[in-house]
Amino acid sequence: MKHSENGHHEISIEEKEMTDWKKKLIFSWAFVIPIAIIMLSDRILKIQIFEENAMKLIIMALGFPVIFILGWKTIKQGIRGLFTFYFNMDSLIALGTIIAYTTGFLSFFEIVQDYSGVASMIMAFFTTGKYVESIARGKASQEIRKLLKLGAKSARILKGNKETEIPIEEVKIGDIIVVRPGEKIPTDGIVVKGESAVDESMVTGESLPTEKKKNSSVIGATINQDGVLYVKATKIGKDTFLAHIIKLVEEAQGTKIPIQKLADKITGIFVPVILAISVLAFVNWFFISKDLSKSIGVAISVLVIACPCALGLATPTALMVGSGMGAKNGILIRKGEAIQTMKEVKIVVFDKTGTITKGMPEVTDIFSDMKEKEFLKIAASLESVSEHPISRAIVEKAKKEDIKLLGVRNFRVERGRGIRGNLQGKSVLIGNRRLMTDNRISYRKYEDKIIKLEAQGKTAIIVSVNKKIIGIMGVADAIKTDSLEAIKNLQKRNYRTIMITGDNEKTAKAIAAQAGINEVIADVLPEEKENKVKELQEEGMVAFVGDGINDAPALKQSNVGIAMGTGTDIAIESGDIVLTKGSLQGVVQAINLSKETFKKIKQNLFWAFFYNIIAIPLAVLGTLSPVVAEIAMATSSITVVTNANLLRRKRI
Amino acid sequence: MKKIKLTIEGMHCASCAANIERAVGKVKGVKDVTVSLMTNKAFVEMEEDTSREEIKKAVEKVGYKLAGIEE
């Protein structure tokens, strides 16, 4: 089980199949080339190498292993399909080759033309087609397979003062792992000693190395570049970031894209329908021409030309290539459906904190009647209980000033407003205007300062003790460096961009202006975001971009939910698309990728339908010989997979 | 409701995927099956107590090998 978790198993199946087809291919042609030489010299050059009956016997003898030994799996599977009514593509090939081979026996009684040589050629071309297809499919999944192989195999852990190398499966949470420059960090953890730059591109798509020092979190499978790091393992096995990504990508392959439904329905009934067409073609030809040989030839052609594979491969191969390209760039497509929906999206709604902004607020201003240190002591003590990013900023500030914090009692979060609690018997409230108004606390004295802070895009935090304001703080959360560029990019493509936030209107507008967004929905409580999205959906399809933790309901409500992950905190369960790198450029890329992938899917489906609609009638009309029919069939599925691989040429 | 992941060997064409979906879908307790041809995986949504043995039989009945079940 451990094995398949690391993904070694999947690889072996694919590679096994590829080498299997290759072996069959080589042996098949070793038999079929002599057959071809004998047949061609007889029919075209009119040179009979052997006497008529001997030639037939030799061809049949050479063909036997090709069809019934090398092609045994196909024959067995096909016949089984016919008897159990679980038809598959093998049923067509099996029936086609067996009928053709049987004519060899019949021809001894001069009833019919000998197609037995043709039978082995069909099998040889079928095998060749399958081999080429397996290579192309392997190529389509190369990024994903790289991802599966990414995990480290072993770790060097510190026991006392001794370093021991152990297999990755034996690493336990809390182990201290030593990672030298150039080595792979074996699992997720926290740096306890050392400093270094780490290349995380293989997992997050972030191309620049990230600086790590004590207390930085590191991701398993990333490469330590220049210093020795001592890492304490925090997540192992299937809980790691990499394991999550792999799971997500794998599951995405199992989701269906709506456009595929028709193709799926057709593949479901394809084989029996072809069988029926083949029988009808045979009966008709025989009735009209009375030529049994020709009628059998037509029936075989119909059987082997029809190709459910092209139809069935059209969508999954393109999705595979697309999601592989995405994974390489830190874009994880969770639901295939998002690819189709994306092209209808007109409105992109961004959450503010952590999406447009860095999500790392800092205290920039303090206004108080008290001494700054005293004021901070009260504020930070209460905030120290809360997990909110703003709280962390305030506590951080207090830490920097070496302020000792007080004990808190009766702590409570007022959602979307602030927090409250008791400090040394006094009731302390910290939060926004609404919190103060709700509790009938006047903040008029600081009104001017609050307005000024808000105009700068800062959040004003009001602190009151026993219903009296003791001061305010300005907390700023700077926008990410590339937010502006990404949003301009979307606007150029005629997307309506909107920012949504719990901040008040003035702060929100100031931040939005910095990011190039004109439309702002401010003062929204977390639980209201979902409704705002619903309202916007009346005007068009909406993509919501958020951190996936607080915004989960809004992400779900939107037509395409794009969850932004930062570092190892990946919001797996929400979002149709997950971005592992924090940049908003990822949104632009995700939109491009979805559109290009969907275009490929449509192209592929078109060709697959087109091929069958043209090829089957041609075979019915008797214009294609069985061998040509088989070549056409093999080519069609190779074309579809190759076309999917061409998606890689697109820049996203 | 529970979701399990199957690893399947021997799938090589689109109708294979369709057949497995049909066969496993008929197993009592199974609500939904999606087969991914590209990754040789099937995702089965089913009742908690659905017989794993029945699922295995269904896969084998249509001619494929069940190489692994991940709960």
Side-chain angles (χ1 to χ4, degrees):
Chain A
M1 226 41 185
K2 274 211 172 95
H3 238 53
S4 70
E5 260 164 35
N6 290 335
H8 301 302
H9 212 79
E10 292 90 322
I11 301 153
S12 70
I13 289 182
E14 270 177 12
E15 284 172 352
K16 212 167 83 187
E17 270 173 21
M18 212 186 289
T19 44
D20 209 33
W21 285 118
K22 191 177 176 181
K23 245 186 270 162
K24 284 183 187 168
L25 166 111
I26 293 168
F27 283 110
S28 296
W29 285 106
F31 289 107
V32 170
I33 288 170
I35 294 177
I37 292 171
I38 296 169
M39 280 172 63
L40 290 178
S41 57
D42 174 52
R43 293 204 190 141
I44 296 170
L45 305 173
K46 303 285 173 210
I47 302 169
Q48 282 202 346
I49 305 175
F50 304 102
E51 178 267 327
E52 178 85 25
N53 279 345
M55 185 180 80
K56 276 185 196 164
L57 278 174
I58 290 169
I59 287 176
M60 285 179 70
L62 285 172
F64 184 83
V66 177
I67 298 166
F68 296 101
I69 299 174
L70 297 166
W72 177 239
K73 242 182 163 173
T74 308
I75 298 287
K76 188 180 78 178
Q77 189 71 301
I79 300 291
R80 185 211 297 264
L82 290 176
F83 283 110
T84 54
F85 288 96
Y86 280 97
F87 304 107
N88 58 40
M89 132 129 254
D90 292 340
S91 311
L92 299 174
I93 299 297
L95 214 55
T97 47
I98 290 173
I99 292 172
Y101 193 78
T102 316
T103 58
F105 292 107
L106 297 177
S107 69
F108 283 105
F109 312 105
E110 296 209 27
I111 302 169
V112 71
Q113 188 190 328
D114 172 16
Y115 284 109
S116 64
V118 167
S120 38
M121 283 183 193
I122 289 173
M123 192 55 95
F125 274 113
F126 175 73
T127 309
T128 311
K130 279 289 160 195
Y131 173 61
V132 177
E133 190 193 303
S134 70
I135 295 175
R137 272 165 62 177
K139 203 179 157 205
S141 58
Q142 66 185 18
E143 282 93 357
I144 305 289
R145 273 182 299 140
K146 247 185 230 160
L147 204 62
L148 296 174
K149 278 184 182 163
L150 212 55
K153 306 273 174 292
S154 63
R156 200 176 310 110
I157 65 163
L158 205 57
K159 270 186 185 159
N161 284 326
K162 250 179 61 191
E163 293 175 13
T164 22
E165 184 145 343
I166 58 170
I168 189 72
E169 291 84 5
E170 290 172 21
V171 175
K172 287 189 288 294
I173 289 175
D175 282 351
I176 305 292
I177 304 165
V178 188
V179 192
R180 302 226 166 85
E183 286 181 344
K184 211 177 255 184
I185 297 173
T187 192
D188 296 358
I190 282 182
V191 177
V192 288
K193 203 171 104 188
E195 269 177 41
S196 182
V198 172
D199 177 7
E200 297 185 332
S201 59
M202 59 295 289
V203 180
T204 64
E206 178 60 62
S207 52
L208 292 174
T210 324
E211 291 298 327
K212 302 287 180 189
K213 51 180 197 258
K214 199 179 167 190
N215 289 332
S216 305
S217 51
V218 290
I219 306 170
T222 58
I223 308 270
N224 180 18
Q225 287 191 322
D226 41 27
V228 179
L229 287 177
Y230 291 79
V231 175
K232 188 165 95 180
T234 53
K235 278 175 189 156
I236 51 168
K238 58 181 182 181
D239 297 323
T240 61
F241 187 61
L242 180 66
H244 276 298
I245 292 182
I246 290 171
K247 184 173 166 235
L248 205 143
V249 169
E250 255 183 14
E251 280 184 0
Q253 292 300 317
T255 63
K256 299 265 171 188
I257 304 177
I259 194 174
Q260 187 188 352
K261 279 203 183 114
L262 179 63
D264 276 353
K265 259 192 198 138
I266 293 175
T267 31
I269 55 159
F270 193 87
V271 177
V273 168
I274 296 303
L275 289 176
I277 294 178
S278 175
V279 171
L280 283 176
F282 173 79
V283 171
N284 245 316
W285 267 93
F286 188 66
F287 192 71
I288 294 167
S289 68
K290 300 275 186 286
D291 180 347
L292 182 63
S293 298
K294 178 74 186 173
S295 308
I296 290 177
V298 168
I300 296 170
S301 292
V302 173
L303 288 176
V304 300
I305 205 166
C307 184
C309 272
L311 278 173
L313 288 172
T315 312
T317 46
L319 179 61
M320 191 82 190
V321 177
S323 57
M325 283 169 74
K328 218 166 103 188
N329 288 289
I331 303 160
L332 307 174
I333 298 165
R334 256 192 83 219
K335 293 207 177 108
E337 201 179 333
I339 287 177
Q340 183 165 353
T341 319
M342 192 65 101
K343 70 179 201 345
E344 313 287 342
V345 166
K346 298 278 181 292
I347 306 166
V348 186
V349 182
F350 296 90
D351 181 50
K352 193 206 87 178
T353 309
T355 303
I356 290 177
T357 65
K358 288 178 179 154
M360 284 185 290
E362 280 173 26
V363 177
T364 50
D365 309 77
I366 291 178
F367 303 102
S368 174
D369 301 337
M370 306 164 74
K371 273 192 190 149
E372 197 177 297
K373 276 201 170 181
E374 282 303 301
F375 172 72
L376 256 178
K377 188 174 196 158
I378 295 169
S381 296
L382 190 61
E383 296 282 8
S384 68
V385 189
S386 161
E387 287 288 307
H388 196 278
I390 289 182
S391 307
R392 261 181 268 158
I394 295 169
V395 174
E396 200 59 35
K397 175 87 178 169
K399 259 194 203 155
K400 263 190 210 146
E401 313 232 332
D402 276 328
I403 293 170
K404 270 227 163 105
L405 302 181
L406 306 166
V408 181
R409 305 181 70 171
N410 302 332
F411 175 83
R412 217 166 73 208
V413 176
E414 304 277 334
R415 244 168 111 74
R417 297 175 182 84
I419 53 176
R420 70 193 311 161
N422 287 358
L423 286 178
Q424 298 179 324
K426 289 174 196 152
S427 145
V428 181
L429 270 83
I430 306 179
N432 57 17
R433 282 194 177 101
R434 205 186 308 191
L435 182 71
M436 300 304 149
T437 318
D438 286 356
N439 288 283
R440 298 208 195 85
I441 301 170
S442 162
Y443 50 86
R444 273 196 41 204
K445 194 172 152 197
Y446 288 95
E447 184 82 53
D448 289 351
K449 297 239 162 56
I450 293 172
I451 291 171
K452 216 166 127 194
L453 286 174
E454 286 168 351
Q456 297 167 353
K458 293 170 181 169
T459 307
I461 306 291
I462 311 167
V463 184
S464 83
V465 174
N466 285 345
K467 297 226 164 192
K468 235 189 111 230
I469 307 285
I470 59 161
I472 62 164
M473 277 179 283
V475 178
D477 184 8
I479 71 163
K480 290 175 189 163
T481 44
D482 47 7
S483 288
L484 177 65
E485 199 190 331
I487 283 160
K488 282 264 165 335
N489 231 323
L490 289 176
Q491 287 166 345
K492 232 185 283 164
R493 279 161 228 232
N494 289 325
Y495 284 102
R496 196 174 141 198
T497 52
I498 300 173
M499 186 180 96
I500 193 163
T501 174
D503 287 355
N504 69 69
E505 185 126 11
K506 282 189 201 119
T507 307
K509 281 218 161 125
I511 291 287
Q514 288 173 32
I517 298 180
N518 320 321
E519 249 184 288
V520 175
I521 306 177
D523 279 317
V524 183
L525 290 173
E527 57 268 27
E528 283 173 356
K529 283 182 187 167
E530 184 187 356
N531 285 330
K532 293 286 169 194
V533 170
K534 217 182 269 175
E535 280 166 32
L536 283 168
Q537 277 171 326
E538 278 165 29
E539 296 164 48
M541 293 270 218
V542 174
F544 187 93
V545 190
D547 63 14
I549 299 159
N550 302 311
D551 310 327
L555 282 168
K556 225 174 208 163
Q557 173 62 37
S558 63
N559 301 93
V560 180
I562 303 177
M564 301 270 273
T566 41
T568 48
D569 298 323
I570 184 170
I572 296 283
E573 292 311 320
S574 44
D576 305 308
I577 294 176
V578 177
L579 305 178
T580 54
K581 125 179 108 162
S583 160
L584 274 195
Q585 288 291 2
V587 177
V588 182
Q589 285 183 310
I591 290 176
N592 289 346
L593 179 69
S594 303
K595 283 189 166 171
E596 292 297 344
T597 307
F598 190 66
K599 236 191 258 170
K600 267 287 167 246
I601 291 173
K602 274 206 304 202
Q603 265 175 26
N604 268 353
L605 284 173
F606 171 78
W607 282 114
F609 276 113
F610 182 76
Y611 165 80
N612 280 299
I613 287 168
I614 299 293
I616 296 168
L618 283 180
V620 170
L621 294 173
T623 50
L624 299 173
S625 78
V627 175
V628 174
E630 174 54 39
I631 294 173
M633 195 284 286
T635 317
S636 79
S637 49
I638 293 168
T639 310
V640 161
V641 184
T642 309
N643 187 40
N645 277 323
L646 287 181
L647 180 59
R648 272 203 197 82
R649 295 209 179 152
K650 300 280 179 200
R651 286 202 48 194
I652 55 157
Chain B
M1 268 311 163
K2 196 172 165 140
K3 210 171 178 183
I4 62 166
K5 182 167 89 178
L6 315 177
T7 305
I8 292 166
E9 262 180 64
M11 279 194 290
H12 57 277
C13 77
S15 18
C16 301
N19 280 341
I20 292 174
E21 281 178 13
R22 187 151 69 99
V24 177
K26 279 183 188 161
V27 174
K28 196 170 158 273
V30 173
K31 285 280 168 303
D32 190 42
V33 195
T34 45
V35 175
S36 158
L37 186 59
M38 295 296 292
T39 51
N40 294 310
K41 290 278 183 298
F43 297 90
V44 184
E45 219 184 304
M46 55 183 210
E47 306 277 0
E48 206 72 47
D49 57 354
T50 306
S51 156
R52 313 294 193 264
E53 195 51 39
E54 287 293 314
I55 290 179
K56 188 168 185 235
K57 267 192 212 151
V59 172
E60 278 162 6
K61 186 180 125 197
V62 284
Y64 308 93
K65 202 177 139 201
L66 184 58
I69 300 183
E70 263 176 68
E71 300 281 323

